[in-house]
Amino acid sequence: MNKDIATPIRTKEIMNKYGFSFKKSLGQNFLIDPNILHNIVSHAELTKEDGAIEIGPGIGALTEHLARAAKKVTAFEIDQRLLPILADTLSPYDNVKILHSDVLKADVHQVIEEEFQDVKNLMVVANLPYYVTTPIILKLLTEGLPIKGMVVMLQKEVADRIAAKPGTKNYGSLSIAIQYYTEASTVMIVPKTVFIPQPNVDSAVIKLVKRDKPPVDVISEDFFFTVTRASFAQRRKTIINNLTSQLPEGKAKKEAIIAALERAEIDPSRRGESLSIPDFARLANELYQVFH
Ligand code: SAM
């Protein structure tokens, strides 16, 4: 087997060879611990029939573990300076393709069509750039891509919000948005010491397994997410206060909103954080008539 990229010594050798300097603005914190990489990849449960999409390969630390575990890997990297480095570090692997691309602007559907016709399952596996974790995850989930799920590293604080259950302080519209599409769980907590440079915050790895179908029936997904966001606009406020102040012409429609809450069997004086996803679905469906 080839020598791992992700040891402190080899990573520094590669950086020196290419005179590479980190760009904080691109969220460049590289992993230097092969055990952590091994664990991340094992949570993705890849076989040699499966494909992996990586966001931000850096110098290839995670990419090579994916190349060993999967049939094929395609990675999106925004930083052009990394392309010659990756061509060198990943030269032992013939099943990796690097795309010089901002994943937020990329047509991921098309990439999957071109690269992954011949795989069984497709997983997204990444150590995400921390300045854009939420937009990347939401883009990949809302575009209806044919992926099985994701195993991604991100700030622990965001992981806590994504996996939070109702009635907890971290539960909010992000928890609901992600749990609507996936079953979410935190699978690892990762110390700062396994990165160079070390980030300022703790990290975690979450696993998101896409649901076959949403856990609730809603008349409009857009409106369901509008209602959940409105309900958490000010966490200390009651649901009726948030809804009247956030929804269009909410104050004028206060009586109709109260009636909708009653039909949904939700006490207007409750706070958003006490409502489950089925509660929000009932509420959004009752409110739909009021706002359409
Ligand atoms: N996978 C490597 C590792 O674990 O050591 C590097 C991870 S580093 C946290 C994030 C990587 O994402 C960097 O290589 C950075 O250049 C890249 N990146 C940042 N923004 C990106 C974007 N919008 N699209 C694609 N890659 C991006």
Side-chain angles (χ1 to χ4, degrees):
M1 188 175 289
N2 298 295
K3 209 164 64 162
D4 273 358
I5 296 167
T7 63
I9 292 173
R10 177 111 196 271
T11 298
K12 280 180 195 141
E13 266 171 24
I14 295 167
M15 312 245 331
N16 289 339
K17 180 172 169 193
Y18 289 93
F20 182 83
S21 54
F22 294 102
K23 267 200 192 149
K24 213 175 164 187
S25 61
L26 292 179
Q28 292 179 337
N29 301 95
F30 293 171
L31 277 164
I32 48 165
D33 185 330
N35 290 324
I36 299 270
L37 288 159
H38 181 80
N39 287 342
I40 294 173
V41 173
S42 62
H43 282 294
E45 297 178 53
L46 293 163
T47 74
K48 275 291 171 188
E49 292 183 296
D50 298 333
I53 294 177
E54 188 188 358
I55 321 297
I59 60 170
L62 175 59
T63 325
E64 74 172 347
H65 283 258
L66 293 171
R68 290 174 193 155
K71 180 171 185 181
K72 209 169 180 189
V73 186
T74 295
F76 294 85
E77 175 54 64
I78 199 171
D79 188 348
Q80 176 133 37
R81 300 173 307 152
L82 289 165
L83 299 196
I85 305 181
L86 287 162
D88 178 7
T89 57
L90 297 174
S91 60
Y93 306 95
D94 62 3
N95 58 345
V96 176
K97 182 157 185 177
I98 307 292
L99 302 174
H100 178 218
S101 161
D102 175 347
V103 70
L104 289 174
K105 297 190 182 137
D107 185 342
V108 184
H109 265 291
Q110 195 184 330
V111 170
I112 292 176
E113 221 161 85
E114 284 169 8
E115 304 295 334
F116 293 109
Q117 286 295 345
D118 53 348
V119 302
K120 196 167 166 207
N121 293 313
L122 187 52
M123 289 291 286
V124 173
V125 188
N127 170 17
L128 291 173
Y130 288 3
Y131 73 108
V132 276
T133 45
T134 311
I136 291 175
I137 294 173
L138 286 174
K139 172 184 162 105
L140 298 175
L141 290 180
T142 54
E143 288 189 345
L145 303 171
I147 57 173
K148 189 176 173 208
M150 303 192 204
V151 174
V152 290
M153 170 114 77
L154 68 182
Q155 309 91 309
K156 180 174 175 302
E157 175 251 320
V158 180
D160 289 344
R161 282 165 47 215
I162 285 177
K165 298 285 172 239
T168 64
K169 75 174 184 352
N170 289 315
Y171 180 69
S173 52
L174 182 64
S175 330
I176 295 168
I178 306 273
Q179 292 174 33
Y180 180 80
Y181 295 106
T182 70
E183 290 202 47
S185 55
T186 298
V187 292
M188 284 165 68
I189 306 292
V190 180
K192 296 175 190 159
T193 47
V194 299
F195 302 89
I196 50 168
Q198 290 190 17
N200 297 326
V201 294
D202 288 329
S203 299
V205 176
I206 55 165
K207 182 167 184 172
L208 305 175
V209 179
K210 265 181 79 178
R211 299 179 188 277
D212 295 333
K213 65 182 198 55
V216 287
D217 287 324
V218 292
I219 298 169
S220 153
E221 287 185 354
D222 273 353
F223 188 65
F224 168 73
F225 291 124
T226 301
V227 170
T228 59
R229 275 194 303 273
S231 304
F232 289 100
Q234 288 189 269
R235 296 189 70 91
R236 286 162 193 277
K237 277 195 180 180
T238 59
I239 188 137
I240 182 64
N241 282 343
N242 270 327
L243 292 175
T244 50
S245 65
Q246 298 297 317
L247 293 177
E249 295 172 52
K251 292 211 168 57
K253 293 181 171 172
K254 185 168 181 181
E255 289 314 312
I257 296 175
I258 291 176
L261 279 159
E262 280 167 2
R263 285 196 302 278
E265 296 179 7
I266 293 162
D267 184 331
S269 66
R270 279 169 67 180
R271 294 205 170 83
E273 67 186 38
S274 76
L275 271 64
S276 65
I277 292 182
D279 289 337
F280 275 114
R282 279 198 324 280
L283 176 58
N285 288 345
E286 293 296 345
L287 284 172
Y288 188 84
Q289 308 154 25
V290 179
F291 287 90
H292 291 85

